[in-house]
Amino acid sequence: EMIGEVVTVTPSAGWSRTPPLTWTGRGFGMVWTDTHSHTYFTQLTPTGDRVGDDLLLSADMMSYWNPSLVWAEAANEYTVAWAKSTEDEEEIYLTRLSSAASRLGDELRIADNDWFSGLPSLAWSGREYGIAWNESIAGDSTIHFTRRGWCQD
């Protein structure tokens, strides 16, 4: 049974895709990618109304794909992982966002190799982040996992 109306939360021009969503206890956080491969973070009320302006996460013209998003209650912050494509490679990056939707520090590169790294999945344990992703080269594909501690600023 649906509760409430369906709400459009991204612009109607072009396309929007890959919208991971997380619950904070007070509302939702959502990350999405647009037609130009720009990735944004948006906060939503419990009914899906937008709160404030979108935060542009992809500050350069590189491609940002397949974001994953979690809310870390103990840290009172969102964390986003995504695959970032350059001309030579695709790697996994992580960035932290405050509860007010501003960046906390610089991007952190998680995967650093000559392979294609993509499809990150992010989880919060209550004390640390778990990050999984796949790496592919020459038709072979493997899954990798690492943990990252919570960094207090």
Side-chain angles (χ1 to χ4, degrees), residues 2-110:
M2 250 183 20
I3 301 172
E5 299 294 320
V6 174
V7 178
T8 302
V9 296
T10 61
S12 58
W15 52 259
S16 303
R17 64 182 184 162
T18 61
L21 186 70
T22 191
W23 175 251
T24 69
R26 297 173 303 282
F28 294 97
M30 184 181 75
V31 175
W32 56 280
T33 304
D34 74 3
T35 303
H36 307 289
S37 298
H38 295 127
T39 300
Y40 297 88
F41 173 79
T42 301
Q43 289 183 305
L44 306 171
T45 67
T47 58
D49 296 320
R50 297 165 72 97
V51 177
D53 295 327
D54 296 331
L55 174 64
L56 179 63
L57 295 177
S58 53
D60 54 32
M61 292 306 293
M62 301 301 171
S63 295
Y64 289 64
W65 302 103
N66 301 308
S68 181
L69 174 67
V70 296
W71 169 252
E73 180 68 32
N76 196 37
E77 66 186 32
Y78 299 94
T79 302
V80 183
W82 66 85
K84 181 178 179 180
S85 296
T86 65
E87 291 180 13
D88 302 324
E89 61 190 4
E90 185 165 311
E91 300 296 350
I92 305 301
Y93 285 80
L94 186 88
T95 194
R96 297 166 41 237
L97 307 173
S98 74
S99 60
S102 62
R103 287 184 183 270
L104 298 172
D106 295 327
E107 293 178 355
L108 174 65
R109 188 173 184 169
I110 301 298

Side-chain angles (χ1 to χ4, degrees), residues 92-145:
I92 305 301
Y93 285 80
L94 186 88
T95 194
R96 297 166 41 237
L97 307 173
S98 74
S99 60
S102 62
R103 287 184 183 270
L104 298 172
D106 295 327
E107 293 178 355
L108 174 65
R109 188 173 184 169
I110 301 298
D112 187 7
N113 57 52
D114 295 331
W115 297 27
F116 163 87
S117 299
L119 302 171
S121 181
L122 185 60
W124 171 251
S125 74
R127 295 184 341 188
E128 63 191 21
Y129 300 99
I131 307 154
W133 68 95
N134 82 307
E135 291 185 355
S136 301
I137 190 169
D140 294 323
S141 182
T142 54
I143 304 296
H144 297 262
F145 172 83

